[in-house]
Amino acid sequence: MHLAVIGGSDAGISAALRARELDPSVDVTVVVADAYPNFSICGIPYYFSRDVHPWQSLAHRTHADLEATGMRLRLDTLATGIDVAGRKLTVVDERGTESTIAYDELMVGTGASPSTAGIAGLDALGAADGVHLLHSMGDTFALEEYLDARQPDTAVIVGAGYVGLEMAEALTTRGIRVTQVQRGPEVLSTLDPELGSLVHDELTRHGVDVVTGTRVERVSKTGGTLTVLGLRDGATFERTADLVLVVVGVRPNTSLLTDAGARTGAGGAAVVDEQMRTGLPHIWAAGDGIVTHHRLLGVTYLPLGTTSHKQGRVAGENAIGGDARFTGSLGTQVVKVFDLVAARTGLRDSEARAAGYAPRSNTAVADDHKAYYPGATPISIRITGNTDNGVLLGAQLVGSRGAEVAKRVDTYATALHHGMTVDAMSDLDLSYTPPLGSPWDAVQVAAQSWVRSTA
Amino acid sequence: MHLAVIGGSDAGISAALRARELDPSVDVTVVVADAYPNFSICGIPYYFSRDVHPWQSLAHRTHADLEATGMRLRLDTLATGIDVAGRKLTVVDERGTESTIAYDELMVGTGASPSTAGIAGLDALGAADGVHLLHSMGDTFALEEYLDARQPDTAVIVGAGYVGLEMAEALTTRGIRVTQVQRGPEVLSTLDPELGSLVHDELTRHGVDVVTGTRVERVSKTGGTLTVLGLRDGATFERTADLVLVVVGVRPNTSLLTDAGARTGAGGAAVVDEQMRTGLPHIWAAGDGIVTHHRLLGVTYLPLGTTSHKQGRVAGENAIGGDARFTGSLGTQVVKVFDLVAARTGLRDSEARAAGYAPRSNTAVADDHKAYYPGATPISIRITGNTDNGVLLGAQLVGSRGAEVAKRVDTYATALHHGMTVDAMSDLDLSYTPPLGSPWDAVQVAAQSWVRSTA
């Protein structure tokens, strides 16, 4: 049995590891487009903040670790075509030499590429000009080289999602004056604005110039100066900088699958079922290139590293004859922005309404631990529940680093997984000691506040 | 409708608050034996460590806060008898004056008292002698007075449970040399010894002299010197000290209920059903004086503040005509000991076996967050699962303060609440960002390790 895997990031490596774990007799080849298999893309901002060094430590596992599991890696090798009927893969190595790889089962984890959101001028400007995208280790090296060589004083970051916020922190830490430009009304548009504004305040407190409600239309370069042009409240927005970083999301890489006959669905991603079957014989797929089964939304597109790990594991198990199932995402996410942590799971009010639920949302503020013990800090918790049946639909949390926000969202995620009512969360036997919690934990205080708000 | 409540601690106040919240027309009287209603008993060690000051801030709510909810408090008033048929309560105030309180419904939350574990000499020695128990604000004032007046250099703490460990830290922080004597083979006997030993090491690292496997038989005083005598490995154990603190657990206060005809059950606690009915007409009970409905053990005795809050809330709701149900404890607990946090939920291997399960336990060590990001620390996680069906039975965790151990145990508690299999925990969509987690969170890494250990 030969399992070929395309892609050396979360989904591909997870599939390869799972197959080898379950059946060490399975031959596994992983085709990796670059020389950096199993690198933690989520860690890249911390390389720029200099929390992580050298860059090699961003690898979840080293090349040697991976080979020790018995998988074979073909680095700097691009998969260019799939012969579905012949069960063969065409690949091109770094010298341009084409070859074929025969497989019994194929797992495709080609991931996603950075979006440029239709901003004009990006085609003509590249890393050497000071205009950067950030998704791969190649992008990482290009940006680091630019930072070292040019020592920019100012940067415009287009986008205020997870990577944008983390990079605003990283570049600020390096002494660069950052302007963060966001299309929507508030940063971190995955949270409701009332919670996003807490993140906005944290950015401002650390010197980031946050410009919301601004659509960037063009980036241009005149002489040595980059100019970001856009529209804000109907007026022209213009900002010059030494560096422009565009981090406005991703689009799925699907051409390899669609050329082979696969269908695309939500978000333009390749369609798979919950067992990661593409519908093409012997071809499985996982990760940022495919649609996401969501426990509350059905099929959507919501690329996340955690999801890629789970999908990859399912694909790896099933490709060698297993019967695993991806039980679905809840879109659980967390980000640290300077000294603040923002997290969410499930749906916000607007998302729930759009999906046909009858939501109601309520924000409560509860201390992370007993106020009498030093260092207690408030956590803002916004709960969305279904008014039809009281079922929890989602939670958003913003609090200080150290307030255990990242793991408190996990309690909501676990409750959501089981379809709990908001009210029943008061039944959960959660831990308590005065330095770390309260007899009713903050997650329960917020749940009780939601219940009262619907009375 | 007049609801009388006996007891001003967690259960009693929770019942009173719930009744007033649901129906502000209900008349509520709370009979409180001392002058300190709604004080956080769990916070007392932090008063001694001087993290909390003044002592008044240990109140969850002030007297004024409580009265603002519309409840009436009768402080320094001891309930001495219940006339079940006549629905009357006999009370004695601080001047010794007896009176009666008529009620429509009665909720009894008389709590527990410190056990002395049969140690001889304790009857004759009191706070003025330097021999202390620690359960009430009265005990707290007596100990603080002794510490101030005598400035002891040395202390023996008998017991190494939650309060014992927290007091070892508190007294050490105040410069007192502490010997901690524990009957069992390891401190914190609510954890398996292999995890308890991590707590032992933390105590030792901070200068606490830990003596395990030692049964204390007698405390005596000769001249100004206290002597703790016991047996260790068949030999005599003897230690002198300026202060002896006995914190070896509690026994339920049930006489008021049993005199009225209530039955006792597990641990000698008063029997109630899941709706907090005592079986006596119009009499409800909650808190440390009653048996504990446990989701995995059935009816047991496991007094915890979090449980008292939940039971009190149920009793308050039902006493005024509601239909609430205490859905059961999982024994979730957490304690901070110096810079370490130890937590558990559900059952350990031996407890599960005694309860008729077919358990298997496995310990894994996983970082709290990605190793490449500064400050990652290992969490030791011991999972107990049922080999018959793979269902999670319990988890024990020990890690550094800051490793979000207290909220990670809550993920296990929530999973346990829903009867998840250990394997299915890998399906949970938990949050991830490199400074605060991993793509498979530590709780999932430990779950996967358990699954592999049973393969």
Side-chain angles (χ1 to χ4, degrees):
Chain A
M1 156 72 101
H2 180 218
L3 170 64
V5 174
I6 303 172
S9 196
D10 295 342
I13 296 295
S14 294
L17 288 169
R18 185 61 169 164
R20 291 287 309 166
E21 176 188 2
L22 292 175
D23 185 353
S25 78
V26 171
D27 204 18
V28 177
T29 303
V30 185
V31 177
V32 185
D34 61 19
Y36 313 106
N38 210 200
F39 268 66
S40 174
I41 299 306
C42 300
I44 290 172
Y46 306 105
Y47 172 64
F48 288 108
S49 68
R50 293 178 169 141
D51 287 308
V52 175
H53 52 99
W55 61 265
Q56 284 87 346
S57 57
L58 282 174
H60 288 302
R61 292 167 196 78
T62 65
H63 196 147
D65 291 340
L66 291 169
E67 289 196 329
T69 69
M71 68 179 73
R72 186 184 315 115
L73 295 167
R74 301 262 307 246
L75 303 186
D76 291 313
T77 300
L78 194 66
T80 55
I82 304 169
D83 173 358
V84 178
R87 295 208 225 172
K88 279 184 305 201
L89 198 58
T90 306
V91 300
V92 177
D93 71 13
E94 56 192 321
R95 291 179 305 275
T97 308
E98 191 173 283
S99 60
T100 59
I101 298 174
Y103 63 78
D104 296 301
E105 301 290 331
L106 175 66
M107 171 18 231
V108 180
T110 42
S113 292
S115 166
T116 53
I119 299 169
L122 294 186
D123 289 347
L125 296 167
D129 301 302
V131 178
H132 293 260
L133 306 176
L134 190 58
H135 194 68
S136 65
M137 289 309 295
D139 298 337
T140 302
F141 299 137
L143 176 55
E144 182 64 22
E145 186 183 327
Y146 186 85
L147 291 171
D148 276 354
R150 309 292 181 95
Q151 300 285 325
D153 292 321
T154 57
V156 169
I157 298 178
V158 183
Y162 294 95
V163 181
L165 295 173
E166 289 164 349
M167 285 303 296
E169 177 179 342
L171 296 182
T172 299
T173 301
R174 287 175 74 139
I176 298 171
R177 276 179 292 124
V178 172
T179 301
Q180 186 136 36
V181 184
Q182 165 80 333
R183 183 184 295 192
E186 193 43 278
V187 300
L188 197 55
S189 62
T190 49
L191 296 188
D192 280 336
E194 86 176 76
L195 293 200
S197 71
L198 301 174
V199 178
H200 186 141
D201 292 348
E202 181 74 359
L203 291 163
T204 303
R205 192 158 36 241
H206 286 86
V208 177
D209 182 13
V210 179
V211 182
T212 56
T214 302
R215 173 190 292 268
V216 171
E217 306 209 307
R218 173 178 295 278
V219 179
S220 62
K221 189 169 189 178
T222 312
T225 304
L226 291 161
T227 302
V228 175
L229 266 171
L231 269 180
R232 187 187 194 194
D233 294 332
T236 300
F237 167 82
E238 182 175 333
R239 190 67 55 102
T240 59
D242 304 326
L243 165 69
V244 173
L245 180 63
V246 179
V247 278
V248 292
V250 297
R251 50 186 171 70
N253 294 328
T254 58
S255 60
L256 206 58
L257 280 170
T258 52
D259 288 353
R263 288 186 306 119
T264 58
V271 171
V272 293
D273 66 11
E274 293 173 2
Q275 297 201 295
M276 303 299 121
R277 283 192 199 88
T278 61
L280 302 172
H282 307 287
I283 302 184
W284 313 79
D288 292 355
I290 63 158
V291 299
T292 313
H293 295 266
H294 189 288
R295 294 178 73 85
L296 296 166
L297 293 176
V299 178
T300 184
Y301 180 60
L302 184 47
L304 287 168
T306 44
T307 300
S308 294
H309 276 81
K310 291 184 178 71
Q311 293 171 331
R313 191 168 188 256
V314 167
E317 182 162 343
N318 291 346
I320 62 164
D323 187 32
R325 193 168 292 273
F326 175 58
T327 62
S329 169
L330 289 163
T332 311
Q333 300 161 59
V334 64
V335 63
K336 183 186 89 64
V337 183
F338 294 102
D339 300 319
L340 215 62
V341 175
R344 67 165 285 179
T345 186
L347 307 180
R348 293 190 289 161
D349 205 87
S350 57
E351 296 161 345
R353 201 171 304 278
Y357 296 100
R360 183 186 173 89
S361 298
N362 177 71
T363 304
V365 178
D367 283 338
D368 70 316
H369 63 253
K370 287 302 299 179
Y372 60 67
Y373 189 87
T377 60
I379 308 175
S380 296
I381 305 182
R382 185 162 175 78
I383 285 187
T384 300
N386 193 341
T387 53
D388 285 348
N389 54 12
V391 164
L392 178 68
L393 293 172
Q396 307 165 55
L397 300 87
V398 176
S400 297
R401 195 179 176 189
E404 309 209 0
V405 166
K407 297 299 112 188
R408 279 189 163 99
V409 77
D410 287 353
T411 300
Y412 288 111
T414 307
L416 271 173
H417 186 91
H418 292 284
M420 287 191 91
T421 65
V422 180
D423 192 32
M425 290 199 68
S426 289
D427 296 334
L428 292 175
D429 189 9
L430 306 181
S431 72
Y432 163 53
T433 184
L436 297 166
S438 299
W440 296 109
D441 190 74
V443 306
Q444 294 173 314
V445 170
Q448 291 170 10
S449 177
W450 184 90
V451 172
R452 277 194 298 273
S453 79
T454 60
Chain B
M1 155 72 98
H2 180 218
L3 170 64
V5 174
I6 303 172
S9 196
D10 296 341
I13 297 295
S14 293
L17 288 170
R18 185 60 170 166
R20 291 286 310 166
E21 177 189 1
L22 292 175
D23 184 354
S25 78
V26 171
D27 204 19
V28 177
T29 303
V30 185
V31 177
V32 184
D34 62 18
Y36 313 105
N38 210 201
F39 267 65
S40 175
I41 300 305
C42 300
I44 290 173
Y46 306 105
Y47 172 64
F48 288 108
S49 68
R50 294 178 169 143
D51 287 307
V52 175
H53 51 99
W55 60 265
Q56 285 87 346
S57 58
L58 281 175
H60 288 302
R61 293 167 196 78
T62 65
H63 194 148
D65 291 340
L66 291 169
E67 290 196 328
T69 69
M71 68 178 73
R72 186 184 316 115
L73 296 168
R74 301 259 311 243
L75 303 186
D76 292 313
T77 300
L78 193 66
T80 55
I82 303 169
D83 172 358
V84 179
R87 293 208 226 173
K88 278 184 308 202
L89 197 59
T90 307
V91 299
V92 177
D93 71 15
E94 57 191 321
R95 290 180 306 272
T97 309
E98 190 172 282
S99 59
T100 59
I101 298 174
Y103 64 78
D104 295 302
E105 302 291 330
L106 176 66
M107 166 27 227
V108 181
T110 42
S113 292
S115 166
T116 52
I119 298 170
L122 294 186
D123 290 346
L125 295 167
D129 302 301
V131 178
H132 293 261
L133 306 176
L134 190 57
H135 194 69
S136 66
M137 289 309 295
D139 297 337
T140 302
F141 299 137
L143 176 55
E144 182 64 21
E145 187 184 325
Y146 186 85
L147 291 171
D148 276 354
R150 310 293 180 96
Q151 300 286 325
D153 290 322
T154 57
V156 169
I157 298 178
V158 182
Y162 294 95
V163 181
L165 296 173
E166 289 163 349
M167 286 302 297
E169 176 179 343
L171 296 182
T172 299
T173 301
R174 287 174 75 139
I176 298 170
R177 275 178 294 124
V178 173
T179 300
Q180 186 135 39
V181 184
Q182 166 80 333
R183 182 184 296 194
E186 191 46 276
V187 300
L188 197 54
S189 62
T190 49
L191 296 188
D192 281 336
E194 85 176 76
L195 294 201
S197 71
L198 302 174
V199 178
H200 186 141
D201 292 346
E202 182 73 1
L203 291 163
T204 304
R205 191 157 37 241
H206 287 86
V208 177
D209 182 14
V210 179
V211 183
T212 56
T214 303
R215 173 190 293 266
V216 172
E217 306 209 308
R218 173 178 295 279
V219 179
S220 60
K221 189 168 190 179
T222 314
T225 303
L226 292 162
T227 302
V228 175
L229 268 170
L231 270 180
R232 187 186 194 195
D233 294 333
T236 299
F237 168 82
E238 181 174 335
R239 189 67 57 102
T240 59
D242 304 327
L243 165 69
V244 173
L245 181 63
V246 179
V247 278
V248 292
V250 296
R251 50 186 171 71
N253 293 328
T254 58
S255 60
L256 206 57
L257 281 170
T258 54
D259 288 352
R263 289 186 306 120
T264 57
V271 171
V272 294
D273 67 11
E274 294 173 2
Q275 298 200 293
M276 304 299 121
R277 284 191 199 87
T278 60
L280 302 173
H282 307 287
I283 302 182
W284 314 79
D288 291 355
I290 62 158
V291 299
T292 312
H293 295 265
H294 190 290
R295 294 178 73 85
L296 295 166
L297 294 176
V299 178
T300 184
Y301 179 61
L302 185 47
L304 287 169
T306 44
T307 299
S308 295
H309 275 81
K310 290 184 178 72
Q311 292 171 332
R313 191 170 188 254
V314 167
E317 183 163 342
N318 291 347
I320 61 163
D323 187 33
R325 193 169 291 274
F326 174 58
T327 62
S329 169
L330 289 163
T332 311
Q333 300 162 58
V334 64
V335 62
K336 182 186 89 64
V337 183
F338 294 102
D339 301 318
L340 215 63
V341 175
R344 67 165 285 180
T345 186
L347 307 180
R348 293 189 288 160
D349 206 86
S350 57
E351 296 161 345
R353 200 172 304 278
Y357 296 100
R360 183 186 173 89
S361 299
N362 177 71
T363 304
V365 178
D367 283 339
D368 71 315
H369 64 253
K370 287 303 297 178
Y372 59 67
Y373 189 88
T377 60
I379 308 175
S380 296
I381 305 182
R382 185 162 175 79
I383 285 188
T384 300
N386 193 340
T387 53
D388 285 347
N389 54 12
V391 164
L392 178 68
L393 292 172
Q396 306 165 55
L397 300 86
V398 176
S400 298
R401 195 178 175 190
E404 308 210 358
V405 166
K407 297 300 112 188
R408 279 187 164 101
V409 77
D410 287 353
T411 300
Y412 288 112
T414 308
L416 270 174
H417 186 92
H418 292 285
M420 287 190 91
T421 64
V422 180
D423 192 31
M425 291 199 67
S426 290
D427 295 335
L428 293 174
D429 188 9
L430 306 180
S431 72
Y432 164 52
T433 183
L436 298 165
S438 299
W440 296 108
D441 189 74
V443 306
Q444 295 173 313
V445 170
Q448 291 169 11
S449 177
W450 183 90
V451 172
R452 276 194 298 274
S453 79
T454 61

